[in-house]
């Protein structure tokens, strides 16, 4: 593993799991062969191995008594794989495995026979870490453990063992992965040997009385170390900026306090040697909380900045204090009394002082960036701060988007050279265009482009401007290749921006690059750990892949932040439906009384009644809602009308069902004329036609929809159309076509049209009445029996 002539190729980072069979060399050859086959079988059955292999993100290297698995997607992958292998190993008691995990550089080499191989410190160190353990141990290097410790769910499983001496006299920090019924909780033999050796040295060097005392202390420390859970290593150079308190007599100056806080945070975030938490995660806290250690733990930082702002006319007072959260001690505090025209110097001075207090390295370029004055026009800056306050609001509503847009346009009118305002205006326009918070017109798209181009022309190295141009290409043009290029330029300019990895997580998901998407989700969550939208979207990604346990972990974090959130609970209920646990889904949904515009909750409650085949509970409610449909709901009214017909059919009232479906078709027609290329509307229309018996029209429409959104280029939006094809074919008696579509769906990540945001699963196929016509087919029965 450590030999070979290296090529002149750049190193890449690999996340390595090294596995070997304990006592392998003492076995007979036939026993060795048998155990190796068992190991290979277990490895092939690992979900982590299969998904990484399918994505081209896995390297398998065979060794004499085991193998090395190099994952190139996520630092969590080798640990998850190790847990899978350990659980599977329970079925093979004769197979004694030990494992080592490390993240580090790998490189392609040519071996002595000129065949391709891989080597590097990442692989070598994983083997050395493994060598420190005994049968059943899953050991991690300290570096790999710190990568995992970014995610709270790993904390209970990680137990610090201290240092172990490995090859060439190198001492390596080792962490034991134990829990959930896997791993070996015993101290490895090598560590016991070290303890005995150290004890002998102490006995010969220290007097009996002191030795007794030292032994007691050493025993206490050793026991505590082995029994305590993992405490994640929080970087000393990490900080969260809490909301600044508005002390102005005029409470309307709250926007100014928000702006000063955000400008200080933004300057800090441009220092690469710091870890700075996004404002999205800090804005829900009080300005002066009484539980700083707990907040710091939730955010994963060592330091907190508190502050207040008082403005009276053109006079401004800014108070700040930097606090070390672990012991609630003040590292620095100051008060700045300045004129409004000099507010930039305060923001810059605070950022520079914090960097100094935290001993963060500050490059010349970074110092220049954080001391830059964005505008000389105080009125333009005031308008910018008002627009910024609207843009920072969590909900991307039309009112917030229009408010931000109005003030930012005023800022650039007052100072046409205000690059930062141009960049934020472009981002606001692009986000409004993408979310439909603003009318997605050609004029809005061009305004977003021109604003980004103006910002870049004024300041080519302004990170916010480069990001705005990337986001414009992603959100408005769907030009993902160009967006990636701009994001790559923006990343070093905005090293602590969670927006860039978050945008890339969505982008790579669109491009069917799921491993990359997950990696960016993890990176974004590290900087923005309490962003409920980000956590929810990450949960949806897991759900699309049928990784429901991971999805629920993310959703639990959301509920810790926003307890009783209706949509989050509805999504957990949809997952319960997908797992076939209708009682659990019913228990989650029972206390929820959604408004009709809570789409996800409404759809999930309707689908629950359909799956239970007890639609009587929802038919009266649907009739009441549809008696006076809300025009603001748009096409969702048509979906509700279709659902009413489906519920009536399941209830056995076929005449009423047909009438509801005819009304749904009539109500669809205006939307189809207004949006002739909307594949979702066309697909929905196809379902309505098939239940009304219009088979040829239905198939023509679903084929048209799939051509408009090809699953090959847009799998996330294309997969629900493939599901519609399966439903249309099942209803239309085209069994082969229906089963072919379902088989294809089972092999890809996807959402579903009726089960909220989870894919069709074997459990749902068993329960959904729309597939009743397929139940006698052995191929469908196999689909229903497959594992989730």
């Amino acid at each position: 593993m450590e030999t070979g002539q290296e090529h002149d190729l750049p190193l890449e980072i690999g996340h390595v799991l090294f596995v070997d069979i304990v006592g392998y060399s003492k076995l007979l050859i036939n026993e060795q062969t048998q155990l190796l086959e068992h190991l290979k079988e277990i490895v092939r059955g690992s979900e982590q191995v299969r998904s990484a292999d399918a994505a081209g993100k896995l390297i398998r290297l065979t060794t004499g008594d085991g193998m090395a698995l190099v994952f190139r997607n996520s630092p969590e992958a080798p640990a998850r794989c190790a847990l899978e292998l350990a659980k599977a190993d329970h079925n093979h008691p004769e197979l004694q495995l030990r494992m080592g995990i490390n993240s580090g550089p790998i490189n392609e080499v040519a071996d002595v026979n000129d065949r391709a191989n891989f080597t590097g410190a990442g692989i070598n160190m994983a083997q050395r870490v493994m060598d420190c353990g005994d049968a059943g141990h899953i050991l991690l290097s300290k570096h790999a453990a710190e990568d995992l410790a970014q995610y709270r769910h790993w904390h209970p499983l990680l137990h610090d063992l201290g240092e172990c001496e490995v090859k060439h006299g190198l001492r390596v920090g080792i962490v034991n992965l134990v829990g959930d019924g896997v791993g070996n909780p015993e101290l490895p033999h090598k560590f016991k040997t070290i303890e005995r050796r150290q004890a002998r040295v102490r006995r010969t060097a220290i007097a009996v009385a002191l030795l007794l005392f030292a032994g007691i202390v050493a025993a206490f420390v050793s026991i505590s170390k082995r029994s305590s859970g993992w405490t994640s290593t929080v970087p000393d150079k990490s900080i969260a900026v809490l909301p600044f308190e508005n002390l102005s007599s005029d409470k309307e100056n709250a926007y100014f306090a928000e702006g000063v806080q955000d400008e200080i945070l933004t300057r800090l975030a441009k220092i690469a040697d710091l870890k700075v938490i996004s404002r999205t995660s800090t804005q829900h806290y009080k300005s002066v909380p009484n539980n700083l250690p707990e907040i710091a733990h939730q955010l994963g930082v060592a330091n907190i900045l508190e502050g207040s702002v008082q403005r009276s006319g053109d006079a401004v007072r800014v108070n700040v204090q930097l606090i070390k959260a672990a012991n609630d001690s003040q590292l620095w505090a100051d008060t700045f009394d300045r004129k409004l025209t000099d507010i930039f110097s305060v923001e810059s001075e605070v950022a520079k002082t914090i960097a100094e207090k935290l001993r963060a390295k500050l490059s010349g370029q970074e110092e220049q960036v954080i001391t830059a004055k964005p505008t000389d026009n105080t009125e333009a800056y005031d308008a910018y701060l008002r627009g910024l306050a609207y843009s920072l609001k969590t909900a991307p509503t039309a009112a917030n988007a229009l408010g931000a847009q109005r003030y930012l346009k005023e800022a650039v009118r007052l100072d046409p050279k205000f690059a930062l305002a141009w960049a934020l205006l472009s981002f606001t326009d692009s986000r409004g265009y993408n979310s439909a918070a603003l009318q997605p017109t050609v004029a809005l798209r061009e305004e977003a482009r021109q604003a980004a181009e103006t910002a870049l022309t004024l300041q080519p190295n302004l990170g916010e401007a480069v990001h705005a141009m990337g986001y414009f290409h992603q959100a408005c043009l769907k030009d993902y290749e160009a967006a990636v290029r701009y994001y790559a330029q923006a990343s070093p300019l905005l090293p602590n921006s969670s927006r860039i990895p978050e945008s890339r997580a969505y982008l790579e998901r669109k491009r069917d690059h799921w491993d990359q998407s997950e990696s960016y989700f993890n990176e974004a969550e590290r900087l923005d750990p309490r962003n409920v939208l980000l956590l929810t979207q990450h949960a949806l990604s897991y759900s699309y892949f049928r990784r429901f346990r991971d999805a629920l972990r993310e959703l639990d974090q959301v509920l810790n932040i926003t307890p009783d959130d209706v949509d989050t609970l509805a999504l957990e209920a949809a997952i319960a439906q997908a797992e076939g646990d209708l009682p659990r889904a019913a228990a989650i949904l029972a206390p929820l009384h959604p408004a009709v515009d809570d789409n996800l909750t409404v759809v999930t409650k309707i689908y629950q009644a359909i799956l239970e085949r007890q639609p009587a509970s929802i038919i009266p409610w649907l009739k009441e809602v549809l008696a006076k449909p809300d025009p603001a709901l748009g096409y969702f009214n048509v979906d509700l009308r279709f659902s009413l017909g489906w519920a009536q059919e399941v209830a056995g009232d076929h005449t009423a069902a047909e009438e509801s479906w005819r009304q749904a078709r009539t109500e669809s027609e205006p939307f189809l004329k207004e949006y002739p290329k909307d594949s979702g509307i066309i697909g929905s229309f196809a379902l309505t036609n098939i239940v009304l018996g219009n088979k040829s029209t239905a198939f023509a429409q679903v084929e048209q929809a799939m051509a408009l959104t090809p699953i090959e280029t847009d799998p996330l939006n294309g997969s629900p159309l493939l599901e519609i094809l399966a439903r249309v074919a099942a209803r239309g008696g085209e069994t082969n076509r229906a089963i072919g579509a379902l088989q294809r769906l089972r092999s890809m990540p996807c959402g579903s049209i009726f089960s909220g945001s989870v894919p069709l699963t074997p459990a749902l196929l068993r329960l959904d009445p729309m597939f009743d016509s397929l139940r006698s087919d052995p191929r469908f029965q196999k689909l229903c029996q497959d594992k989730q």
Side-chain angles (χ1 to χ4, degrees), residues 766-780:
R766 292 193 296 269
L767 295 166
D768 194 314
M770 205 171 284
F771 297 109
D772 284 352
S773 64
L774 306 178
R775 302 208 179 277
S776 62
D777 192 292
R779 295 169 296 172
F780 182 76

PDB file of all heavy atoms in Angstrom, residues 766-780:
ATOM      1  N   ARG A 766     -48.155  -0.953  -2.065  1.00  0.00           N
ATOM      2  CA  ARG A 766     -49.078  -1.922  -1.471  1.00  0.00           C
ATOM      3  C   ARG A 766     -50.390  -1.267  -1.040  1.00  0.00           C
ATOM      4  O   ARG A 766     -51.441  -1.903  -1.042  1.00  0.00           O
ATOM      5  CB  ARG A 766     -48.427  -2.592  -0.244  1.00  0.00           C
ATOM      6  CG  ARG A 766     -47.262  -3.508  -0.560  1.00  0.00           C
ATOM      7  CD  ARG A 766     -46.881  -4.370   0.629  1.00  0.00           C
ATOM      8  NE  ARG A 766     -46.404  -3.607   1.762  1.00  0.00           N
ATOM      9  CZ  ARG A 766     -45.122  -3.292   1.976  1.00  0.00           C
ATOM     10  NH1 ARG A 766     -44.201  -3.684   1.100  1.00  0.00           N
ATOM     11  NH2 ARG A 766     -44.753  -2.618   3.044  1.00  0.00           N
ATOM     12  N   LEU A 767     -50.333   0.024  -0.684  1.00  0.00           N
ATOM     13  CA  LEU A 767     -51.488   0.689  -0.084  1.00  0.00           C
ATOM     14  C   LEU A 767     -52.295   1.535  -1.054  1.00  0.00           C
ATOM     15  O   LEU A 767     -53.493   1.732  -0.856  1.00  0.00           O
ATOM     16  CB  LEU A 767     -51.005   1.588   1.074  1.00  0.00           C
ATOM     17  CG  LEU A 767     -50.377   0.876   2.284  1.00  0.00           C
ATOM     18  CD1 LEU A 767     -49.659   1.880   3.173  1.00  0.00           C
ATOM     19  CD2 LEU A 767     -51.451   0.145   3.080  1.00  0.00           C
ATOM     20  N   ASP A 768     -51.662   2.079  -2.089  1.00  0.00           N
ATOM     21  CA  ASP A 768     -52.300   3.071  -2.960  1.00  0.00           C
ATOM     22  C   ASP A 768     -53.364   2.418  -3.856  1.00  0.00           C
ATOM     23  O   ASP A 768     -53.053   1.534  -4.658  1.00  0.00           O
ATOM     24  CB  ASP A 768     -51.227   3.738  -3.822  1.00  0.00           C
ATOM     25  CG  ASP A 768     -51.731   4.993  -4.505  1.00  0.00           C
ATOM     26  OD1 ASP A 768     -52.845   4.966  -5.067  1.00  0.00           O
ATOM     27  OD2 ASP A 768     -51.004   6.005  -4.489  1.00  0.00           O
ATOM     28  N   PRO A 769     -54.628   2.865  -3.778  1.00  0.00           N
ATOM     29  CA  PRO A 769     -55.697   2.249  -4.579  1.00  0.00           C
ATOM     30  C   PRO A 769     -55.511   2.408  -6.082  1.00  0.00           C
ATOM     31  O   PRO A 769     -56.055   1.616  -6.857  1.00  0.00           O
ATOM     32  CB  PRO A 769     -56.960   2.997  -4.120  1.00  0.00           C
ATOM     33  CG  PRO A 769     -56.608   3.618  -2.819  1.00  0.00           C
ATOM     34  CD  PRO A 769     -55.136   3.901  -2.874  1.00  0.00           C
ATOM     35  N   MET A 770     -54.752   3.407  -6.519  1.00  0.00           N
ATOM     36  CA  MET A 770     -54.608   3.649  -7.946  1.00  0.00           C
ATOM     37  C   MET A 770     -53.836   2.529  -8.644  1.00  0.00           C
ATOM     38  O   MET A 770     -53.848   2.434  -9.864  1.00  0.00           O
ATOM     39  CB  MET A 770     -53.943   5.005  -8.192  1.00  0.00           C
ATOM     40  CG  MET A 770     -54.275   5.616  -9.543  1.00  0.00           C
ATOM     41  SD  MET A 770     -53.702   7.316  -9.752  1.00  0.00           S
ATOM     42  CE  MET A 770     -54.917   8.193  -8.781  1.00  0.00           C
ATOM     43  N   PHE A 771     -53.169   1.681  -7.863  1.00  0.00           N
ATOM     44  CA  PHE A 771     -52.406   0.574  -8.460  1.00  0.00           C
ATOM     45  C   PHE A 771     -53.093  -0.776  -8.251  1.00  0.00           C
ATOM     46  O   PHE A 771     -52.469  -1.825  -8.438  1.00  0.00           O
ATOM     47  CB  PHE A 771     -50.984   0.547  -7.887  1.00  0.00           C
ATOM     48  CG  PHE A 771     -50.186   1.783  -8.212  1.00  0.00           C
ATOM     49  CD1 PHE A 771     -49.876   2.695  -7.218  1.00  0.00           C
ATOM     50  CD2 PHE A 771     -49.782   2.050  -9.509  1.00  0.00           C
ATOM     51  CE1 PHE A 771     -49.155   3.847  -7.512  1.00  0.00           C
ATOM     52  CE2 PHE A 771     -49.070   3.204  -9.805  1.00  0.00           C
ATOM     53  CZ  PHE A 771     -48.753   4.102  -8.807  1.00  0.00           C
ATOM     54  N   ASP A 772     -54.355  -0.748  -7.873  1.00  0.00           N
ATOM     55  CA  ASP A 772     -55.072  -2.008  -7.629  1.00  0.00           C
ATOM     56  C   ASP A 772     -55.110  -2.910  -8.853  1.00  0.00           C
ATOM     57  O   ASP A 772     -55.084  -4.146  -8.725  1.00  0.00           O
ATOM     58  CB  ASP A 772     -56.501  -1.724  -7.157  1.00  0.00           C
ATOM     59  CG  ASP A 772     -56.539  -1.275  -5.690  1.00  0.00           C
ATOM     60  OD1 ASP A 772     -55.483  -1.338  -5.033  1.00  0.00           O
ATOM     61  OD2 ASP A 772     -57.624  -0.861  -5.233  1.00  0.00           O
ATOM     62  N   SER A 773     -55.135  -2.322 -10.051  1.00  0.00           N
ATOM     63  CA  SER A 773     -55.236  -3.127 -11.272  1.00  0.00           C
ATOM     64  C   SER A 773     -53.981  -3.945 -11.540  1.00  0.00           C
ATOM     65  O   SER A 773     -53.994  -4.863 -12.371  1.00  0.00           O
ATOM     66  CB  SER A 773     -55.521  -2.217 -12.471  1.00  0.00           C
ATOM     67  OG  SER A 773     -54.436  -1.323 -12.685  1.00  0.00           O
ATOM     68  N   LEU A 774     -52.882  -3.636 -10.855  1.00  0.00           N
ATOM     69  CA  LEU A 774     -51.609  -4.317 -11.106  1.00  0.00           C
ATOM     70  C   LEU A 774     -51.332  -5.437 -10.103  1.00  0.00           C
ATOM     71  O   LEU A 774     -50.330  -6.145 -10.227  1.00  0.00           O
ATOM     72  CB  LEU A 774     -50.447  -3.308 -11.036  1.00  0.00           C
ATOM     73  CG  LEU A 774     -50.542  -2.062 -11.932  1.00  0.00           C
ATOM     74  CD1 LEU A 774     -49.331  -1.166 -11.689  1.00  0.00           C
ATOM     75  CD2 LEU A 774     -50.620  -2.447 -13.402  1.00  0.00           C
ATOM     76  N   ARG A 775     -52.181  -5.626  -9.113  1.00  0.00           N
ATOM     77  CA  ARG A 775     -51.824  -6.456  -7.968  1.00  0.00           C
ATOM     78  C   ARG A 775     -51.622  -7.929  -8.300  1.00  0.00           C
ATOM     79  O   ARG A 775     -50.916  -8.631  -7.582  1.00  0.00           O
ATOM     80  CB  ARG A 775     -52.858  -6.300  -6.865  1.00  0.00           C
ATOM     81  CG  ARG A 775     -52.976  -4.843  -6.443  1.00  0.00           C
ATOM     82  CD  ARG A 775     -53.413  -4.622  -5.036  1.00  0.00           C
ATOM     83  NE  ARG A 775     -53.452  -3.172  -4.774  1.00  0.00           N
ATOM     84  CZ  ARG A 775     -52.401  -2.451  -4.437  1.00  0.00           C
ATOM     85  NH1 ARG A 775     -51.223  -3.039  -4.301  1.00  0.00           N
ATOM     86  NH2 ARG A 775     -52.506  -1.154  -4.238  1.00  0.00           N
ATOM     87  N   SER A 776     -52.215  -8.416  -9.371  1.00  0.00           N
ATOM     88  CA  SER A 776     -52.051  -9.832  -9.704  1.00  0.00           C
ATOM     89  C   SER A 776     -50.784 -10.108 -10.505  1.00  0.00           C
ATOM     90  O   SER A 776     -50.426 -11.267 -10.724  1.00  0.00           O
ATOM     91  CB  SER A 776     -53.270 -10.324 -10.501  1.00  0.00           C
ATOM     92  OG  SER A 776     -53.374  -9.605 -11.722  1.00  0.00           O
ATOM     93  N   ASP A 777     -50.102  -9.078 -10.939  1.00  0.00           N
ATOM     94  CA  ASP A 777     -48.899  -9.259 -11.758  1.00  0.00           C
ATOM     95  C   ASP A 777     -47.703  -9.568 -10.860  1.00  0.00           C
ATOM     96  O   ASP A 777     -47.414  -8.807  -9.931  1.00  0.00           O
ATOM     97  CB  ASP A 777     -48.632  -7.989 -12.584  1.00  0.00           C
ATOM     98  CG  ASP A 777     -47.579  -8.222 -13.658  1.00  0.00           C
ATOM     99  OD1 ASP A 777     -46.399  -8.434 -13.295  1.00  0.00           O
ATOM    100  OD2 ASP A 777     -47.924  -8.172 -14.850  1.00  0.00           O
ATOM    101  N   PRO A 778     -46.969 -10.645 -11.119  1.00  0.00           N
ATOM    102  CA  PRO A 778     -45.817 -11.006 -10.268  1.00  0.00           C
ATOM    103  C   PRO A 778     -44.747  -9.915 -10.214  1.00  0.00           C
ATOM    104  O   PRO A 778     -44.070  -9.760  -9.193  1.00  0.00           O
ATOM    105  CB  PRO A 778     -45.271 -12.282 -10.918  1.00  0.00           C
ATOM    106  CG  PRO A 778     -46.430 -12.836 -11.686  1.00  0.00           C
ATOM    107  CD  PRO A 778     -47.225 -11.658 -12.163  1.00  0.00           C
ATOM    108  N   ARG A 779     -44.578  -9.184 -11.309  1.00  0.00           N
ATOM    109  CA  ARG A 779     -43.572  -8.119 -11.317  1.00  0.00           C
ATOM    110  C   ARG A 779     -43.947  -7.008 -10.340  1.00  0.00           C
ATOM    111  O   ARG A 779     -43.089  -6.458  -9.638  1.00  0.00           O
ATOM    112  CB  ARG A 779     -43.423  -7.542 -12.737  1.00  0.00           C
ATOM    113  CG  ARG A 779     -42.870  -8.541 -13.749  1.00  0.00           C
ATOM    114  CD  ARG A 779     -43.002  -7.992 -15.163  1.00  0.00           C
ATOM    115  NE  ARG A 779     -44.412  -7.816 -15.533  1.00  0.00           N
ATOM    116  CZ  ARG A 779     -44.831  -7.220 -16.641  1.00  0.00           C
ATOM    117  NH1 ARG A 779     -43.935  -6.729 -17.505  1.00  0.00           N
ATOM    118  NH2 ARG A 779     -46.119  -7.091 -16.902  1.00  0.00           N
ATOM    119  N   PHE A 780     -45.234  -6.664 -10.287  1.00  0.00           N
ATOM    120  CA  PHE A 780     -45.686  -5.649  -9.345  1.00  0.00           C
ATOM    121  C   PHE A 780     -45.567  -6.173  -7.916  1.00  0.00           C
ATOM    122  O   PHE A 780     -45.179  -5.432  -7.009  1.00  0.00           O
ATOM    123  CB  PHE A 780     -47.139  -5.258  -9.644  1.00  0.00           C
ATOM    124  CG  PHE A 780     -47.660  -4.174  -8.745  1.00  0.00           C
ATOM    125  CD1 PHE A 780     -47.294  -2.853  -8.930  1.00  0.00           C
ATOM    126  CD2 PHE A 780     -48.513  -4.480  -7.696  1.00  0.00           C
ATOM    127  CE1 PHE A 780     -47.770  -1.857  -8.095  1.00  0.00           C
ATOM    128  CE2 PHE A 780     -48.993  -3.488  -6.848  1.00  0.00           C
ATOM    129  CZ  PHE A 780     -48.623  -2.175  -7.055  1.00  0.00           C
TER     130      PHE A 780
END
